[in-house]
Amino acid sequence: MKIVMLTGSPHNPGASKQLADAFETGAREANNTIYRYDAGLQGAAQPHFLQLEKAPGMEVGIPDNDVVENEVLPQLLAADVVVLVSSLYYFGINAQLKAVIDRFYDYNHELKGKKSVVLVAGYGTQEDLGAIKLHLQKLQKYMRWPSLGDIYADDSWNQQKLAQHVQAAYHLGQSIHA
């Protein structure tokens, strides 16, 4: 299957990156192809969130060299599975990933019907992950992206518990196949 993984955390290495790396390893071992865009690790040369104002009061334009428009969205349109990876930031997804998700709007109809996976790491409890879980489940439902499995890794500061979540992400990646 063709998988597109979108990550948002600027922390390298961080807990959500560990989940993403493990999932990617498992998915590749299962002979899937993966395109990965690490939105949180893009530098000033690739500001995926930058939109240029054409003129005061007019609609906002996207620069010609925009990586999301030119690379990420075409990969998403061709994908079978979309994997969203975030750290918990004030009970929601991080801004870098949200900026990419907001760009789906012009392609909502073309993106409908794919399968999905969500990987989230947070220092809080499962209760603390409730708002992000609701948000991402609503997004999955709206996009008509049935879940192949989601991991909400609570207490990710605890290395032993995080290791269990990372192992689960690896196995989830391995389970993805046509």
Side-chain angles (χ1 to χ4, degrees), residues 58-93:
M58 295 188 72
E59 289 194 29
V60 174
I62 304 298
D64 291 337
N65 66 342
D66 181 71
V67 68
V68 173
E69 187 69 27
N70 296 331
E71 188 177 312
V72 177
L73 287 167
Q75 291 284 342
L76 273 167
L77 292 169
D80 301 304
V81 179
V82 178
V83 181
L84 301 176
V85 185
S86 182
S87 299
L88 180 67
Y89 279 74
Y90 293 99
F91 309 101
I93 62 176

PDB file of all heavy atoms in Angstrom, residues 58-93:
ATOM      1  N   MET A  58      -7.176  41.000  -0.499  1.00  0.00           N
ATOM      2  CA  MET A  58      -7.441  39.930  -1.464  1.00  0.00           C
ATOM      3  C   MET A  58      -7.144  38.580  -0.831  1.00  0.00           C
ATOM      4  O   MET A  58      -6.551  38.487   0.233  1.00  0.00           O
ATOM      5  CB  MET A  58      -6.586  40.108  -2.722  1.00  0.00           C
ATOM      6  CG  MET A  58      -6.946  41.382  -3.487  1.00  0.00           C
ATOM      7  SD  MET A  58      -6.124  41.462  -5.058  1.00  0.00           S
ATOM      8  CE  MET A  58      -7.001  40.208  -5.969  1.00  0.00           C
ATOM      9  N   GLU A  59      -7.535  37.515  -1.520  1.00  0.00           N
ATOM     10  CA  GLU A  59      -7.273  36.183  -1.016  1.00  0.00           C
ATOM     11  C   GLU A  59      -5.781  35.934  -0.889  1.00  0.00           C
ATOM     12  O   GLU A  59      -4.969  36.550  -1.572  1.00  0.00           O
ATOM     13  CB  GLU A  59      -7.901  35.136  -1.944  1.00  0.00           C
ATOM     14  CG  GLU A  59      -9.405  35.124  -1.847  1.00  0.00           C
ATOM     15  CD  GLU A  59      -9.995  33.905  -2.487  1.00  0.00           C
ATOM     16  OE1 GLU A  59      -9.335  32.855  -2.527  1.00  0.00           O
ATOM     17  OE2 GLU A  59     -11.129  34.009  -2.941  1.00  0.00           O
ATOM     18  N   VAL A  60      -5.452  35.008  -0.039  1.00  0.00           N
ATOM     19  CA  VAL A  60      -4.062  34.669   0.211  1.00  0.00           C
ATOM     20  C   VAL A  60      -3.600  33.666  -0.834  1.00  0.00           C
ATOM     21  O   VAL A  60      -4.306  32.731  -1.186  1.00  0.00           O
ATOM     22  CB  VAL A  60      -3.929  34.078   1.632  1.00  0.00           C
ATOM     23  CG1 VAL A  60      -2.523  33.584   1.894  1.00  0.00           C
ATOM     24  CG2 VAL A  60      -4.321  35.130   2.665  1.00  0.00           C
ATOM     25  N   GLY A  61      -2.404  33.865  -1.342  1.00  0.00           N
ATOM     26  CA  GLY A  61      -1.842  32.975  -2.341  1.00  0.00           C
ATOM     27  C   GLY A  61      -0.770  32.076  -1.758  1.00  0.00           C
ATOM     28  O   GLY A  61      -0.220  32.358  -0.699  1.00  0.00           O
ATOM     29  N   ILE A  62      -0.479  31.009  -2.460  1.00  0.00           N
ATOM     30  CA  ILE A  62       0.557  30.067  -2.059  1.00  0.00           C
ATOM     31  C   ILE A  62       1.781  30.333  -2.930  1.00  0.00           C
ATOM     32  O   ILE A  62       1.662  30.446  -4.146  1.00  0.00           O
ATOM     33  CB  ILE A  62       0.067  28.619  -2.275  1.00  0.00           C
ATOM     34  CG1 ILE A  62      -1.254  28.361  -1.535  1.00  0.00           C
ATOM     35  CG2 ILE A  62       1.138  27.615  -1.882  1.00  0.00           C
ATOM     36  CD1 ILE A  62      -1.177  28.510  -0.046  1.00  0.00           C
ATOM     37  N   PRO A  63       2.973  30.418  -2.342  1.00  0.00           N
ATOM     38  CA  PRO A  63       4.161  30.671  -3.161  1.00  0.00           C
ATOM     39  C   PRO A  63       4.416  29.536  -4.151  1.00  0.00           C
ATOM     40  O   PRO A  63       4.046  28.389  -3.907  1.00  0.00           O
ATOM     41  CB  PRO A  63       5.293  30.773  -2.146  1.00  0.00           C
ATOM     42  CG  PRO A  63       4.736  30.431  -0.820  1.00  0.00           C
ATOM     43  CD  PRO A  63       3.263  30.316  -0.925  1.00  0.00           C
ATOM     44  N   ASP A  64       5.050  29.842  -5.262  1.00  0.00           N
ATOM     45  CA  ASP A  64       5.305  28.853  -6.311  1.00  0.00           C
ATOM     46  C   ASP A  64       6.156  27.685  -5.832  1.00  0.00           C
ATOM     47  O   ASP A  64       6.014  26.580  -6.328  1.00  0.00           O
ATOM     48  CB  ASP A  64       5.988  29.513  -7.510  1.00  0.00           C
ATOM     49  CG  ASP A  64       5.053  30.460  -8.243  1.00  0.00           C
ATOM     50  OD1 ASP A  64       3.819  30.296  -8.118  1.00  0.00           O
ATOM     51  OD2 ASP A  64       5.559  31.361  -8.936  1.00  0.00           O
ATOM     52  N   ASN A  65       7.047  27.912  -4.887  1.00  0.00           N
ATOM     53  CA  ASN A  65       7.935  26.854  -4.411  1.00  0.00           C
ATOM     54  C   ASN A  65       7.389  26.123  -3.190  1.00  0.00           C
ATOM     55  O   ASN A  65       8.130  25.461  -2.478  1.00  0.00           O
ATOM     56  CB  ASN A  65       9.319  27.423  -4.090  1.00  0.00           C
ATOM     57  CG  ASN A  65       9.282  28.378  -2.909  1.00  0.00           C
ATOM     58  OD1 ASN A  65       8.234  28.877  -2.521  1.00  0.00           O
ATOM     59  ND2 ASN A  65      10.447  28.644  -2.336  1.00  0.00           N
ATOM     60  N   ASP A  66       6.101  26.190  -2.953  1.00  0.00           N
ATOM     61  CA  ASP A  66       5.485  25.617  -1.762  1.00  0.00           C
ATOM     62  C   ASP A  66       5.562  24.096  -1.786  1.00  0.00           C
ATOM     63  O   ASP A  66       5.013  23.447  -2.677  1.00  0.00           O
ATOM     64  CB  ASP A  66       4.026  26.070  -1.669  1.00  0.00           C
ATOM     65  CG  ASP A  66       3.361  25.530  -0.436  1.00  0.00           C
ATOM     66  OD1 ASP A  66       3.689  25.993   0.669  1.00  0.00           O
ATOM     67  OD2 ASP A  66       2.527  24.614  -0.574  1.00  0.00           O
ATOM     68  N   VAL A  67       6.226  23.510  -0.795  1.00  0.00           N
ATOM     69  CA  VAL A  67       6.431  22.063  -0.744  1.00  0.00           C
ATOM     70  C   VAL A  67       5.129  21.301  -0.505  1.00  0.00           C
ATOM     71  O   VAL A  67       4.945  20.201  -1.036  1.00  0.00           O
ATOM     72  CB  VAL A  67       7.510  21.684   0.296  1.00  0.00           C
ATOM     73  CG1 VAL A  67       7.036  21.955   1.714  1.00  0.00           C
ATOM     74  CG2 VAL A  67       7.935  20.251   0.142  1.00  0.00           C
ATOM     75  N   VAL A  68       4.206  21.862   0.257  1.00  0.00           N
ATOM     76  CA  VAL A  68       2.944  21.167   0.509  1.00  0.00           C
ATOM     77  C   VAL A  68       2.140  21.069  -0.781  1.00  0.00           C
ATOM     78  O   VAL A  68       1.645  20.001  -1.140  1.00  0.00           O
ATOM     79  CB  VAL A  68       2.132  21.837   1.637  1.00  0.00           C
ATOM     80  CG1 VAL A  68       0.756  21.208   1.775  1.00  0.00           C
ATOM     81  CG2 VAL A  68       2.897  21.744   2.954  1.00  0.00           C
ATOM     82  N   GLU A  69       2.029  22.165  -1.495  1.00  0.00           N
ATOM     83  CA  GLU A  69       1.263  22.164  -2.753  1.00  0.00           C
ATOM     84  C   GLU A  69       1.936  21.311  -3.822  1.00  0.00           C
ATOM     85  O   GLU A  69       1.267  20.571  -4.542  1.00  0.00           O
ATOM     86  CB  GLU A  69       1.113  23.600  -3.262  1.00  0.00           C
ATOM     87  CG  GLU A  69       0.198  23.738  -4.458  1.00  0.00           C
ATOM     88  CD  GLU A  69      -1.266  23.485  -4.142  1.00  0.00           C
ATOM     89  OE1 GLU A  69      -1.688  23.692  -2.984  1.00  0.00           O
ATOM     90  OE2 GLU A  69      -2.000  23.071  -5.063  1.00  0.00           O
ATOM     91  N   ASN A  70       3.241  21.413  -3.942  1.00  0.00           N
ATOM     92  CA  ASN A  70       3.956  20.754  -5.037  1.00  0.00           C
ATOM     93  C   ASN A  70       4.341  19.307  -4.772  1.00  0.00           C
ATOM     94  O   ASN A  70       4.532  18.542  -5.719  1.00  0.00           O
ATOM     95  CB  ASN A  70       5.226  21.546  -5.379  1.00  0.00           C
ATOM     96  CG  ASN A  70       4.899  22.915  -5.907  1.00  0.00           C
ATOM     97  OD1 ASN A  70       3.854  23.136  -6.513  1.00  0.00           O
ATOM     98  ND2 ASN A  70       5.770  23.862  -5.653  1.00  0.00           N
ATOM     99  N   GLU A  71       4.465  18.928  -3.503  1.00  0.00           N
ATOM    100  CA  GLU A  71       4.953  17.587  -3.191  1.00  0.00           C
ATOM    101  C   GLU A  71       4.010  16.801  -2.286  1.00  0.00           C
ATOM    102  O   GLU A  71       3.630  15.678  -2.600  1.00  0.00           O
ATOM    103  CB  GLU A  71       6.329  17.711  -2.524  1.00  0.00           C
ATOM    104  CG  GLU A  71       7.040  16.407  -2.319  1.00  0.00           C
ATOM    105  CD  GLU A  71       8.420  16.609  -1.722  1.00  0.00           C
ATOM    106  OE1 GLU A  71       9.178  17.475  -2.220  1.00  0.00           O
ATOM    107  OE2 GLU A  71       8.740  15.892  -0.758  1.00  0.00           O
ATOM    108  N   VAL A  72       3.640  17.384  -1.145  1.00  0.00           N
ATOM    109  CA  VAL A  72       2.860  16.652  -0.145  1.00  0.00           C
ATOM    110  C   VAL A  72       1.463  16.321  -0.658  1.00  0.00           C
ATOM    111  O   VAL A  72       1.026  15.164  -0.586  1.00  0.00           O
ATOM    112  CB  VAL A  72       2.797  17.437   1.184  1.00  0.00           C
ATOM    113  CG1 VAL A  72       1.920  16.720   2.192  1.00  0.00           C
ATOM    114  CG2 VAL A  72       4.200  17.656   1.744  1.00  0.00           C
ATOM    115  N   LEU A  73       0.738  17.316  -1.148  1.00  0.00           N
ATOM    116  CA  LEU A  73      -0.636  17.065  -1.593  1.00  0.00           C
ATOM    117  C   LEU A  73      -0.712  16.072  -2.753  1.00  0.00           C
ATOM    118  O   LEU A  73      -1.575  15.186  -2.729  1.00  0.00           O
ATOM    119  CB  LEU A  73      -1.351  18.374  -1.911  1.00  0.00           C
ATOM    120  CG  LEU A  73      -1.710  19.177  -0.650  1.00  0.00           C
ATOM    121  CD1 LEU A  73      -2.123  20.593  -0.994  1.00  0.00           C
ATOM    122  CD2 LEU A  73      -2.784  18.472   0.154  1.00  0.00           C
ATOM    123  N   PRO A  74       0.152  16.121  -3.765  1.00  0.00           N
ATOM    124  CA  PRO A  74       0.113  15.079  -4.790  1.00  0.00           C
ATOM    125  C   PRO A  74       0.360  13.676  -4.216  1.00  0.00           C
ATOM    126  O   PRO A  74      -0.280  12.711  -4.637  1.00  0.00           O
ATOM    127  CB  PRO A  74       1.225  15.479  -5.765  1.00  0.00           C
ATOM    128  CG  PRO A  74       1.324  16.967  -5.621  1.00  0.00           C
ATOM    129  CD  PRO A  74       1.067  17.211  -4.156  1.00  0.00           C
ATOM    130  N   GLN A  75       1.256  13.582  -3.244  1.00  0.00           N
ATOM    131  CA  GLN A  75       1.486  12.281  -2.598  1.00  0.00           C
ATOM    132  C   GLN A  75       0.237  11.825  -1.848  1.00  0.00           C
ATOM    133  O   GLN A  75      -0.137  10.652  -1.897  1.00  0.00           O
ATOM    134  CB  GLN A  75       2.676  12.370  -1.628  1.00  0.00           C
ATOM    135  CG  GLN A  75       4.005  12.558  -2.288  1.00  0.00           C
ATOM    136  CD  GLN A  75       4.535  11.280  -2.927  1.00  0.00           C
ATOM    137  OE1 GLN A  75       4.094  10.177  -2.628  1.00  0.00           O
ATOM    138  NE2 GLN A  75       5.484  11.430  -3.824  1.00  0.00           N
ATOM    139  N   LEU A  76      -0.421  12.755  -1.152  1.00  0.00           N
ATOM    140  CA  LEU A  76      -1.655  12.432  -0.432  1.00  0.00           C
ATOM    141  C   LEU A  76      -2.756  11.958  -1.378  1.00  0.00           C
ATOM    142  O   LEU A  76      -3.472  11.005  -1.080  1.00  0.00           O
ATOM    143  CB  LEU A  76      -2.162  13.652   0.344  1.00  0.00           C
ATOM    144  CG  LEU A  76      -1.604  13.859   1.728  1.00  0.00           C
ATOM    145  CD1 LEU A  76      -1.941  15.247   2.232  1.00  0.00           C
ATOM    146  CD2 LEU A  76      -2.131  12.814   2.679  1.00  0.00           C
ATOM    147  N   LEU A  77      -2.885  12.633  -2.498  1.00  0.00           N
ATOM    148  CA  LEU A  77      -3.930  12.265  -3.452  1.00  0.00           C
ATOM    149  C   LEU A  77      -3.734  10.847  -3.985  1.00  0.00           C
ATOM    150  O   LEU A  77      -4.703  10.149  -4.252  1.00  0.00           O
ATOM    151  CB  LEU A  77      -3.973  13.275  -4.601  1.00  0.00           C
ATOM    152  CG  LEU A  77      -4.459  14.673  -4.208  1.00  0.00           C
ATOM    153  CD1 LEU A  77      -4.218  15.648  -5.346  1.00  0.00           C
ATOM    154  CD2 LEU A  77      -5.924  14.656  -3.810  1.00  0.00           C
ATOM    155  N   ALA A  78      -2.492  10.408  -4.096  1.00  0.00           N
ATOM    156  CA  ALA A  78      -2.190   9.076  -4.626  1.00  0.00           C
ATOM    157  C   ALA A  78      -2.132   8.004  -3.537  1.00  0.00           C
ATOM    158  O   ALA A  78      -2.019   6.820  -3.850  1.00  0.00           O
ATOM    159  CB  ALA A  78      -0.855   9.119  -5.371  1.00  0.00           C
ATOM    160  N   ALA A  79      -2.225   8.389  -2.283  1.00  0.00           N
ATOM    161  CA  ALA A  79      -2.038   7.455  -1.167  1.00  0.00           C
ATOM    162  C   ALA A  79      -3.262   6.578  -0.924  1.00  0.00           C
ATOM    163  O   ALA A  79      -4.397   6.961  -1.212  1.00  0.00           O
ATOM    164  CB  ALA A  79      -1.715   8.229   0.101  1.00  0.00           C
ATOM    165  N   ASP A  80      -2.989   5.426  -0.342  1.00  0.00           N
ATOM    166  CA  ASP A  80      -4.045   4.533   0.158  1.00  0.00           C
ATOM    167  C   ASP A  80      -4.315   4.796   1.632  1.00  0.00           C
ATOM    168  O   ASP A  80      -5.435   4.648   2.105  1.00  0.00           O
ATOM    169  CB  ASP A  80      -3.620   3.063   0.007  1.00  0.00           C
ATOM    170  CG  ASP A  80      -3.321   2.686  -1.419  1.00  0.00           C
ATOM    171  OD1 ASP A  80      -4.203   2.876  -2.279  1.00  0.00           O
ATOM    172  OD2 ASP A  80      -2.194   2.220  -1.686  1.00  0.00           O
ATOM    173  N   VAL A  81      -3.247   5.150   2.369  1.00  0.00           N
ATOM    174  CA  VAL A  81      -3.321   5.322   3.823  1.00  0.00           C
ATOM    175  C   VAL A  81      -2.662   6.639   4.205  1.00  0.00           C
ATOM    176  O   VAL A  81      -1.579   6.964   3.712  1.00  0.00           O
ATOM    177  CB  VAL A  81      -2.605   4.163   4.558  1.00  0.00           C
ATOM    178  CG1 VAL A  81      -2.651   4.355   6.073  1.00  0.00           C
ATOM    179  CG2 VAL A  81      -3.191   2.816   4.163  1.00  0.00           C
ATOM    180  N   VAL A  82      -3.305   7.380   5.106  1.00  0.00           N
ATOM    181  CA  VAL A  82      -2.757   8.616   5.648  1.00  0.00           C
ATOM    182  C   VAL A  82      -2.454   8.381   7.129  1.00  0.00           C
ATOM    183  O   VAL A  82      -3.321   7.928   7.875  1.00  0.00           O
ATOM    184  CB  VAL A  82      -3.743   9.791   5.505  1.00  0.00           C
ATOM    185  CG1 VAL A  82      -3.179  11.061   6.124  1.00  0.00           C
ATOM    186  CG2 VAL A  82      -4.119   9.999   4.051  1.00  0.00           C
ATOM    187  N   VAL A  83      -1.218   8.675   7.539  1.00  0.00           N
ATOM    188  CA  VAL A  83      -0.798   8.528   8.930  1.00  0.00           C
ATOM    189  C   VAL A  83      -0.515   9.922   9.479  1.00  0.00           C
ATOM    190  O   VAL A  83       0.323  10.649   8.937  1.00  0.00           O
ATOM    191  CB  VAL A  83       0.462   7.642   9.052  1.00  0.00           C
ATOM    192  CG1 VAL A  83       0.867   7.492  10.518  1.00  0.00           C
ATOM    193  CG2 VAL A  83       0.231   6.280   8.407  1.00  0.00           C
ATOM    194  N   LEU A  84      -1.226  10.291  10.524  1.00  0.00           N
ATOM    195  CA  LEU A  84      -1.037  11.587  11.169  1.00  0.00           C
ATOM    196  C   LEU A  84      -0.330  11.354  12.501  1.00  0.00           C
ATOM    197  O   LEU A  84      -0.782  10.543  13.313  1.00  0.00           O
ATOM    198  CB  LEU A  84      -2.382  12.274  11.406  1.00  0.00           C
ATOM    199  CG  LEU A  84      -3.231  12.528  10.162  1.00  0.00           C
ATOM    200  CD1 LEU A  84      -4.579  13.117  10.553  1.00  0.00           C
ATOM    201  CD2 LEU A  84      -2.498  13.446   9.190  1.00  0.00           C
ATOM    202  N   VAL A  85       0.777  12.081  12.711  1.00  0.00           N
ATOM    203  CA  VAL A  85       1.602  11.890  13.902  1.00  0.00           C
ATOM    204  C   VAL A  85       1.795  13.244  14.585  1.00  0.00           C
ATOM    205  O   VAL A  85       2.246  14.199  13.956  1.00  0.00           O
ATOM    206  CB  VAL A  85       2.980  11.303  13.539  1.00  0.00           C
ATOM    207  CG1 VAL A  85       3.772  10.998  14.815  1.00  0.00           C
ATOM    208  CG2 VAL A  85       2.842  10.058  12.667  1.00  0.00           C
ATOM    209  N   SER A  86       1.460  13.300  15.869  1.00  0.00           N
ATOM    210  CA  SER A  86       1.609  14.557  16.604  1.00  0.00           C
ATOM    211  C   SER A  86       1.986  14.290  18.048  1.00  0.00           C
ATOM    212  O   SER A  86       1.703  13.227  18.596  1.00  0.00           O
ATOM    213  CB  SER A  86       0.294  15.344  16.576  1.00  0.00           C
ATOM    214  OG  SER A  86       0.420  16.586  17.252  1.00  0.00           O
ATOM    215  N   SER A  87       2.579  15.271  18.641  1.00  0.00           N
ATOM    216  CA  SER A  87       2.724  15.318  20.088  1.00  0.00           C
ATOM    217  C   SER A  87       1.512  16.057  20.627  1.00  0.00           C
ATOM    218  O   SER A  87       0.846  16.793  19.888  1.00  0.00           O
ATOM    219  CB  SER A  87       3.994  16.077  20.476  1.00  0.00           C
ATOM    220  OG  SER A  87       5.118  15.431  19.956  1.00  0.00           O
ATOM    221  N   LEU A  88       1.231  15.875  21.885  1.00  0.00           N
ATOM    222  CA  LEU A  88       0.142  16.583  22.540  1.00  0.00           C
ATOM    223  C   LEU A  88       0.622  17.977  22.920  1.00  0.00           C
ATOM    224  O   LEU A  88       1.593  18.130  23.668  1.00  0.00           O
ATOM    225  CB  LEU A  88      -0.293  15.823  23.799  1.00  0.00           C
ATOM    226  CG  LEU A  88      -1.418  16.427  24.614  1.00  0.00           C
ATOM    227  CD1 LEU A  88      -2.720  16.386  23.819  1.00  0.00           C
ATOM    228  CD2 LEU A  88      -1.579  15.680  25.927  1.00  0.00           C
ATOM    229  N   TYR A  89      -0.019  19.006  22.354  1.00  0.00           N
ATOM    230  CA  TYR A  89       0.311  20.396  22.655  1.00  0.00           C
ATOM    231  C   TYR A  89      -0.940  21.085  23.185  1.00  0.00           C
ATOM    232  O   TYR A  89      -1.882  21.320  22.429  1.00  0.00           O
ATOM    233  CB  TYR A  89       0.789  21.131  21.395  1.00  0.00           C
ATOM    234  CG  TYR A  89       2.243  20.877  21.067  1.00  0.00           C
ATOM    235  CD1 TYR A  89       2.652  19.666  20.537  1.00  0.00           C
ATOM    236  CD2 TYR A  89       3.195  21.858  21.301  1.00  0.00           C
ATOM    237  CE1 TYR A  89       3.975  19.432  20.238  1.00  0.00           C
ATOM    238  CE2 TYR A  89       4.525  21.637  20.998  1.00  0.00           C
ATOM    239  CZ  TYR A  89       4.910  20.423  20.469  1.00  0.00           C
ATOM    240  OH  TYR A  89       6.215  20.202  20.180  1.00  0.00           O
ATOM    241  N   TYR A  90      -0.960  21.392  24.458  1.00  0.00           N
ATOM    242  CA  TYR A  90      -2.107  22.043  25.071  1.00  0.00           C
ATOM    243  C   TYR A  90      -3.411  21.360  24.663  1.00  0.00           C
ATOM    244  O   TYR A  90      -4.364  22.000  24.231  1.00  0.00           O
ATOM    245  CB  TYR A  90      -2.133  23.543  24.752  1.00  0.00           C
ATOM    246  CG  TYR A  90      -0.986  24.282  25.392  1.00  0.00           C
ATOM    247  CD1 TYR A  90       0.139  24.592  24.652  1.00  0.00           C
ATOM    248  CD2 TYR A  90      -1.024  24.617  26.735  1.00  0.00           C
ATOM    249  CE1 TYR A  90       1.207  25.248  25.239  1.00  0.00           C
ATOM    250  CE2 TYR A  90       0.037  25.273  27.327  1.00  0.00           C
ATOM    251  CZ  TYR A  90       1.154  25.586  26.574  1.00  0.00           C
ATOM    252  OH  TYR A  90       2.218  26.226  27.152  1.00  0.00           O
ATOM    253  N   PHE A  91      -3.430  20.035  24.752  1.00  0.00           N
ATOM    254  CA  PHE A  91      -4.597  19.188  24.538  1.00  0.00           C
ATOM    255  C   PHE A  91      -5.007  19.062  23.075  1.00  0.00           C
ATOM    256  O   PHE A  91      -6.085  18.587  22.763  1.00  0.00           O
ATOM    257  CB  PHE A  91      -5.784  19.642  25.404  1.00  0.00           C
ATOM    258  CG  PHE A  91      -5.392  19.793  26.838  1.00  0.00           C
ATOM    259  CD1 PHE A  91      -5.131  21.035  27.381  1.00  0.00           C
ATOM    260  CD2 PHE A  91      -5.242  18.677  27.636  1.00  0.00           C
ATOM    261  CE1 PHE A  91      -4.732  21.173  28.702  1.00  0.00           C
ATOM    262  CE2 PHE A  91      -4.848  18.799  28.967  1.00  0.00           C
ATOM    263  CZ  PHE A  91      -4.592  20.051  29.501  1.00  0.00           C
ATOM    264  N   GLY A  92      -4.138  19.476  22.151  1.00  0.00           N
ATOM    265  CA  GLY A  92      -4.433  19.364  20.726  1.00  0.00           C
ATOM    266  C   GLY A  92      -3.191  18.985  19.942  1.00  0.00           C
ATOM    267  O   GLY A  92      -2.131  18.720  20.513  1.00  0.00           O
ATOM    268  N   ILE A  93      -3.343  18.967  18.618  1.00  0.00           N
ATOM    269  CA  ILE A  93      -2.205  18.659  17.757  1.00  0.00           C
ATOM    270  C   ILE A  93      -1.303  19.881  17.653  1.00  0.00           C
ATOM    271  O   ILE A  93      -1.729  21.010  17.910  1.00  0.00           O
ATOM    272  CB  ILE A  93      -2.649  18.181  16.351  1.00  0.00           C
ATOM    273  CG1 ILE A  93      -3.433  19.252  15.610  1.00  0.00           C
ATOM    274  CG2 ILE A  93      -3.423  16.882  16.441  1.00  0.00           C
ATOM    275  CD1 ILE A  93      -3.807  18.865  14.190  1.00  0.00           C
TER     276      ILE A  93
END
